[in-house]
């Protein structure tokens, strides 16, 4: 405590002494005492209740501001998160399409370049010999009258017969009615047929039928058509518009249980039509390409 905060004051106390006869004395004894009085300074602090109210008011305002800032930031954060997710998804899809293209190119290259032949003792495979056996960088592994594409050989007949007869003739040649397994194969066959067809109805039998169970289409090997999603087509089946329709005008009992294909316009990829199996048509046979023999 500093000296400026203390006031000094002298107080005199008088003590009377009584006489024996009870009269008052004129003289008095004086006692001095020093008293220190603290000088109070005006308080700048608020009373406890008022100070608490102000403090609570400031705290409430601060909390409200923080809450508003957080709520305002949430939509922005959500938009940013959605944008990043969409961007990453687009990048992923583009990368997948790029990888699919690269994979198709690799498969095509392997199909064209991989020319292997068996050695004379049938023990170890060896690379395709050089010309004259190798022509146009492909192995001549299909018999005469057959055309090679990829890993298959194809035979396009000139004779017309029923679906069952056509299948028997294909099997007699060592193959079967064609089974179409890809869009590329469909494009190849369509290009060949557009050159061989003489008219619109000059179509070719393929190895697809629902003769065992209606509307359950199966290839000649018992497998169903490939219905996986394709980038260009919804499914890897190539039915023409409104096909199959199982029209029973020619066969009241069975309707149309076999499939033919072909269009003169080679740009029309969807060219499968169901047809009465007894109708005469040409055929497409296929079989795996054979292996070169030693020379």
């Amino acid at each position: 405590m500093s000296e400026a905060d203390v006031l000094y004051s002298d107080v005199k106390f008088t003590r009377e002494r009584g006489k024996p006869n009870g009269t008052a004395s004129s003289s008095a004894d004086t006692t001095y005492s020093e008293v220190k009085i603290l000088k109070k300074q005006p308080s700048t602090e608020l009373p406890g209740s008022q100070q608490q109210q102000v403090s609570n008011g400031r705290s409430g305002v601060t909390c409200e501001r923080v809450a508003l800032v957080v709520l305002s930031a949430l939509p922005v954060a959500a938009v940013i998160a959605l944008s990043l997710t969409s961007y990453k998804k687009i990048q992923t899809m583009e990368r997948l399409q790029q990888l699919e293209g690269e994979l198709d190119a690799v498969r095509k290259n392997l199909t064209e370049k991989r020319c292997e032949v068996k050695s004379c003792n049938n023990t170890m495979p060896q690379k395709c010999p050089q010309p004259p056996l190798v022509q146009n960088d492909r192995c001549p592994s299909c018999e005469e009258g057959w055309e090679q594409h990829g890993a298959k050989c194809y035979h396009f007949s000139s004779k017309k017969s029923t679906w069952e007869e056509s299948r028997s003739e294909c099997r007699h040649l060592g193959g079967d009615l064609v089974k179409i397994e890809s869009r590329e194969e469909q494009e190849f066959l369509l290009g060949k047929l557009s050159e061989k067809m003489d008219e619109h109805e000059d179509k070719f039998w393929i190895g697809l039928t629902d003769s065992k169970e209606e509307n359950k289409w199966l290839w000649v090997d018992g497998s169903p058509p490939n219905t996986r999603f394709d980038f260009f087509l919804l499914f890897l089946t190539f039915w023409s518009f409104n096909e199959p329709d199982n029209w029973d005008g020619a066969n009241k009992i069975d309707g149309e249980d076999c499939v033919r294909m072909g269009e003169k316009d080679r740009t029309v990829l969807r060219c499968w039509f169901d047809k009465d199996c007894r109708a005469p048509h040409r055929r497409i046979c296929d079989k795996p390409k054979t292996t070169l023999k030693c020379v």
Side-chain angles (χ1 to χ4, degrees):
M1 180 182 299
S2 63
E3 292 294 332
D5 296 331
V6 179
L7 293 180
Y8 295 88
S9 177
D10 294 333
V11 180
K12 294 181 180 181
F13 296 93
T14 302
R15 184 175 60 182
E16 294 183 353
R17 294 182 179 180
K19 291 183 177 183
N21 57 4
T23 59
S25 175
S26 60
S27 64
D29 295 331
T30 302
T31 301
Y32 295 89
S33 177
E34 182 183 27
V35 179
K36 294 182 180 179
I37 302 174
L38 176 63
K39 183 181 179 181
K40 295 184 179 179
Q41 298 291 336
S43 176
T44 57
E45 297 183 357
L46 295 174
S49 59
Q50 295 181 2
Q51 184 175 0
Q52 184 177 1
Q53 291 177 0
V54 172
S55 177
N56 291 340
R58 291 178 180 175
S59 177
V61 172
T62 303
C63 291
E64 290 179 358
R65 290 180 179 176
V66 171
L68 287 174
V69 171
V70 172
L71 291 176
S72 301
L74 285 177
V76 177
V79 171
I80 293 174
L82 289 175
S83 300
L84 290 175
T85 303
S86 301
Y87 177 71
K88 289 181 179 179
K89 185 176 181 180
I90 293 172
Q91 281 189 324
T92 302
M93 293 298 295
E94 291 177 350
R95 181 57 178 164
L96 285 175
Q97 293 178 7
Q98 180 182 357
L99 290 175
E100 287 181 357
E102 293 175 358
L103 181 59
D104 290 341
V106 170
R107 287 176 176 172
K108 184 177 181 181
N109 185 59
L110 288 175
T111 300
E112 295 179 352
K113 300 293 184 181
R114 187 177 57 190
C115 295
E116 294 182 351
V117 294
K118 291 182 179 180
S119 60
C120 295
N121 57 5
N122 295 322
T123 57
M124 294 293 292
Q126 62 185 22
K127 292 184 178 180
C128 247
Q130 297 299 315
L133 289 179
V134 177
Q135 300 175 359
N136 297 327
D137 202 23
R138 294 185 180 184
C139 293
S141 53
C142 293
E143 302 172 12
E144 184 178 356
W146 294 72
E147 300 184 37
Q148 180 183 342
H149 177 74
K152 289 184 179 181
C153 300
Y154 301 87
H155 181 270
F156 304 88
S157 73
S158 56
K159 178 184 175 181
K160 294 183 178 182
S161 53
T162 66
W163 190 89
E164 288 291 349
E165 291 171 346
S166 295
R167 188 182 182 192
S168 296
E169 291 168 358
C170 287
R171 299 180 73 176
H172 179 73
L173 295 174
D176 210 330
L177 283 172
V178 67
K179 174 185 177 182
I180 302 172
E181 301 178 89
S182 67
R183 185 176 188 271
E184 182 186 8
E185 188 176 14
Q186 174 75 6
E187 291 175 341
F188 165 76
L189 294 176
L190 181 60
K192 290 294 181 180
L193 295 188
S194 64
E195 299 171 358
K196 299 177 182 297
M197 293 174 63
D198 296 327
E199 56 173 334
H200 176 72
E201 283 298 310
D202 190 20
K203 302 185 186 300
F204 288 67
W205 287 123
I206 64 175
L208 191 61
T209 178
D210 71 341
S211 56
K212 291 185 178 180
E213 182 179 343
E214 185 61 37
N215 207 33
K216 185 178 180 180
W217 297 96
L218 299 173
W219 293 108
V220 288
D221 64 358
S223 62
N226 189 349
T227 56
R228 70 177 178 85
F229 178 78
D230 183 76
F231 182 76
F232 299 98
L233 300 169
L234 182 58
F235 295 110
L236 284 178
T237 54
F238 304 94
W239 294 105
S240 182
F241 182 69
N242 285 336
E243 296 286 340
D245 59 2
N246 198 35
W247 182 67
D248 61 356
N251 188 336
K252 295 292 185 182
I253 299 176
D254 297 325
E256 297 178 321
D257 291 340
C258 297
V259 181
R260 58 179 185 163
M261 70 169 286
E263 288 286 0
K264 285 293 290 180
D265 183 3
R266 63 182 300 168
T267 63
V268 181
L269 199 61
R270 294 181 176 271
C271 58
W272 291 359
F273 305 85
D274 60 340
K275 184 68 174 177
D276 177 11
C277 298
R278 302 173 301 177
H281 282 297
R282 293 198 273 175
R283 66 183 181 272
I284 308 173
C285 306
D286 74 347
K287 63 180 179 180
K289 66 179 183 180
T290 57
T291 308
L292 283 175
K293 297 179 180 180
C294 292
V295 295

